[in-house]
Amino acid sequence: MENIKTHYRTCNLCEAMCGLEIKYQKNEIVSIKGDKKDIFSKGHICPKAVALQDLYHDKDRLKTPVKRTDKGWEKISWNDAFDEVASKLKTIQKKYGNNAVGTYRGNPNVHNLGMMLFGTPFIQSLQTQQKYTATSVDQLPHHIASLKMFGHHMLIPIPDIDHTDFMLIIGANPAISNGSLMTAPGFTNRLKAIQKRGGEFVVIDPRYTETAKIANQYLTIKPGKDALLLLALIHVIFEKNLDTKKHLEPHINGWNTIKNIAKDYSPEKVSTSIGINTEKIKTLAISFANAKTAVCYGRLGVSTQEFGGTCQWLINVLNIITGNFDKKGGAMFTLPAVDLVGMAVKTGKTGSFDRYKSRVKKLPEYSGEFPVATLADEILTKGDGQIKAMVAIAGNPVLSTPNGKQLAKAFEQLEFMVAIDIYINETTQYADIILPSTTGLETSHYDLAFHQLAVRNTSKYSPILFEKENDQKHDWEIFNALFKRITGKENQATPEIMLDFMLKSGPYKENDLSMKTLIENPHGVDLGALQPSLPNRLFTKDKKIDLAPTIFLEDLKRLKKQFYLWANEDKLNFPLTLIGRRHLRSNNSWMHNSIRLTKGNKRCTLLINHKDAEKLNIKNQQKVTVTSNIGSIVIPVEINDEIMQGVVSIPHGWGHHYKNIKMEIAQKNAGVSINDLTDANRIDKLTGNADFSGTKVKIERLS
Ligand SMILES: Nc1nc2c(c(=O)[nH]1)N[C@H]1C(S)=C(S)[C@@H](COP(=O)(O)OP(=O)(O)OC[C@H]3O[C@@H](n4cnc5c(=O)[nH]c(N)nc54)[C@H](O)[C@@H]3O)O[C@H]1N2
Ligand SMILES: Nc1nc2c(c(=O)[nH]1)N[C@H]1C(S)=C(S)[C@@H](COP(=O)(O)OP(=O)(O)OC[C@H]3O[C@@H](n4cnc5c(=O)[nH]c(N)nc54)[C@H](O)[C@@H]3O)O[C@H]1N2
Ligand code: SF4
Ligand SMILES: [Mo]
């Protein structure tokens, strides 16, 4: 074949930053493969990257602005769209005050260079306190733990997977998710490498997951109880004098406070509640502490639960008291080429928590945003500061946040809504105007967020593959146009200009790192393994780690109360606990319009253990009604003993049955939304993060 060209870029769909080698001819993709020369991912790829071509060619994807009218969606010009959006937002703010405009930013915001750099000034120009993001249905607990312990919300310790001898994985399934808050392309291979060098890894999860299947040991745990397990592990370590200060000695406050607290949580005491036998807890604690190097990693499953904040704090504590912190093979801080954390030395912006509270439910602010679980309250509850207009940016909260149906109802009542998005989907269907951007292969990219969270310091820039069509705009151009109309000021920068500046003023400026270097190195630039960085890297006032921050100590009182309530849980009305799961060929809510990713067996099913199925007399594939205190959905069951007894699982991101959406392939395979069952009142009361793993349900045969 003639004229076949090769393009190298990084996949921006998940956090793993896989290098891609794309062969193409004019505007057609010939092949998408893992880039073996990529200095970080070394050829790893998953099926989602191949679907980037489906996204590029998707006929349902919007390319020009559309406006909702009585006759349906009508195309309008960019200028008219920008003018109308800016004027509506301004009018509403003038009439009701700045807080009458709410904003929601979804997950792809952090997977897009232009959005990261230009979204923030636009949002700031609105001067509203009513800001929301997907953070509070995801990783908020990690940020609060980092802010309180290390002084900066983005200073998240990253497991040094490539050098550790023992990895304890709690509530994460990286064999499928490819890792989160821990960028490690080819995660499974890295786990297997631990075993090959004589080490081991252990998985703790209510489901015998794809990661658990390749682990050296797997332990089932009852959902939502991980804080108790972590406290018991810490208890054993202190009781057996396995704690070790070593190199951390000069950098820590609060050691004895933790030691005293942990006395209350013996394995004997928590065993029944968490469903793990006493001896197993003890052995695990001892193996962890005695390993040459070890690291505990806890992700979504321990974050989106009732004590998510406390869990993430205790995971850090476990790593620290065993000396596995700021040390090769333990949990370490990164030093990326564009150092979002280090910028705080100049700006002083280290993140904030609880400076003020939300209007209706009095939930704590985090870095200028409120927990999204209360967004519907703020739209539906009348009074000063009520949200009357929404700006939804690359997010689908109707499917992704608790009680999504209620949020849909709230969106319906708004005076105005604009979505910056590429589809007419479950959320954007309520917008008055949709401003669609380029995406994926049409954009240039640099992972500002995920280089910061990677298990190795590297740097890589991805140029545009396919130039946009005349009438298309990049996300950052959309933000700039709106920013100009709202502030009267023009932002002359481009993502590349800003990136070049940040590289040249970053920690590797002596290495001559710049846009030029990155363009000359299409497979990326290696900046080396993670290095110890205490105490300099800390942002606490005394340059010490606070092992026992007051807010977490206070939260333990709540845990203690709950511990007794758990023993008397209502098993009668809602006998089962509902958790989520992810699939290799699915990406949150928005990749279901790809044929490549949706063909084959239906995946939106209810996993149930055969013992629970027998009790209810239900057969495989049979449809059942699942009911929570919030609502009911109908879904086919998949009887499977990978899920523990008493627990059922439904993947999130499905429910494309709304008739006004325009995603033909997704609509054919609609599924149902787990978040029509989850309760917006169920949150981690400390951080405000959604508590998905605490959802109680009952199941009935469909008559
Ligand atoms: N029950 C339950 N709920 C969950 C989870 C769970 O495990 N269980 N997981 C949670 C997690 S971890 C997350 S991160 C959230 C995700 O929640 P959200 O971020 O709210 O949802 P997404 O499905 O990521 O939706 C992304 C949106 O961005 C649009 N989009 C994609 N690419 C682009 C682009 O380049 N530009 C623009 N402008 N738009 C784009 C898509 O069309 C889609 O509308 O869901 C959360 N919800
Ligand atoms: N293929 C694919 N990859 C993805 C995504 C996707 O949608 N599809 N989404 C991306 C996003 S936005 C994120 S944030 C990451 C998330 O990446 P991960 O953190 O790996 O998230 P999950 O795969 O949902 O795994 C969470 C695990 O926690 C378990 N769990 C649930 N409740 C509890 C509990 O109470 N205790 C314990 N110990 N475990 C529990 C679940 O059974 C599940 O195995 O994945 C990213 N990667
Ligand atoms: S693992 Fe993530 S980054 Fe890698 S190819 Fe798949 S979606 Fe893309
Ligand atoms: Mo996420």
Side-chain angles (χ1 to χ4, degrees), residues 348-367:
K349 287 187 182 160
T350 52
S352 61
F353 182 60
D354 206 13
R355 288 176 301 170
Y356 48 90
K357 307 243 190 238
S358 67
R359 183 178 64 104
V360 180
K361 290 226 174 106
K362 312 291 173 223
L363 301 182
E365 155 272 357
Y366 153 70
S367 295

Side-chain angles (χ1 to χ4, degrees), residues 13-15 46 48 107 111 138-139 169-180 204-207 209-210 221-226 297-302 304-305 579-589 643 649 652 693:
L13 292 173
C14 88
E15 301 181 31
C46 89
K48 291 200 292 293
N107 170 280
H111 293 270
D138 186 345
Q139 83 284 3
I169 301 179
I170 314 184
N173 186 15
I176 293 299
S177 70
N178 283 294
S180 178
I204 298 181
D205 198 298
R207 183 165 76 86
T209 61
E210 295 77 356
I221 188 165
K222 294 185 192 167
K225 314 278 196 309
D226 300 79
Y297 166 67
R299 201 34 206 109
L300 201 78
V302 275
T304 54
Q305 58 166 273
I579 62 168
R581 69 180 188 272
R582 282 172 157 75
H583 193 282
L584 193 60
R585 291 171 175 271
S586 186
N587 196 29
N588 294 330
S589 76
I643 191 97
S649 158
H652 79 287
S693 296

Side-chain angles (χ1 to χ4, degrees), residues 551-599:
I551 62 160
F552 295 120
L553 299 181
E554 283 294 309
D555 203 42
L556 288 180
K557 294 183 190 154
R558 185 171 66 102
L559 179 66
K560 235 177 209 159
K561 265 194 213 147
Q562 197 55 44
F563 184 38
Y564 293 105
L565 293 177
W566 277 332
N568 303 307
E569 246 167 6
D570 167 19
K571 292 265 162 56
L572 219 57
N573 289 318
F574 298 113
L576 296 159
T577 303
L578 174 66
I579 62 168
R581 69 180 188 272
R582 282 172 157 75
H583 193 282
L584 193 60
R585 291 171 175 271
S586 186
N587 196 29
N588 294 330
S589 76
W590 67 277
M591 296 278 293
H592 297 151
N593 218 39
S594 153
I595 292 199
R596 278 188 177 78
L597 295 185
T598 45
K599 64 185 176 203

Side-chain angles (χ1 to χ4, degrees), residues 497-545:
I497 292 174
M498 289 179 74
L499 181 59
D500 192 47
F501 172 79
M502 291 190 295
L503 290 167
K504 285 176 178 161
S505 50
Y508 300 89
K509 53 182 181 238
E510 269 83 51
N511 306 33
D512 274 337
L513 210 59
S514 67
M515 276 299 293
K516 185 167 168 281
T517 343
L518 294 189
I519 287 167
E520 286 165 1
N521 291 279
H523 310 286
V525 174
D526 188 23
L527 302 168
L530 305 186
Q531 298 298 328
S533 61
L534 289 186
N536 289 347
R537 196 68 169 147
L538 297 174
F539 280 82
T540 42
K541 281 202 189 87
D542 56 2
K543 286 272 174 198
K544 288 190 177 199
I545 292 173

Side-chain angles (χ1 to χ4, degrees), residues 62-108:
L62 298 173
K63 296 195 171 164
T64 52
V66 289
K67 179 175 175 167
R68 191 153 47 88
T69 71
D70 297 339
K71 286 176 267 164
W73 290 97
E74 284 183 7
K75 284 189 182 173
I76 55 170
S77 77
W78 280 105
N79 260 330
D80 289 351
F82 289 143
D83 286 344
E84 184 167 343
V85 169
S87 127
K88 282 269 164 57
L89 294 178
K90 278 202 248 181
T91 312
I92 285 173
Q93 285 192 315
K94 216 171 170 186
K95 190 165 164 197
Y96 304 104
N98 287 349
N99 291 339
V101 171
T103 63
Y104 175 79
R105 287 199 268 181
N107 170 280

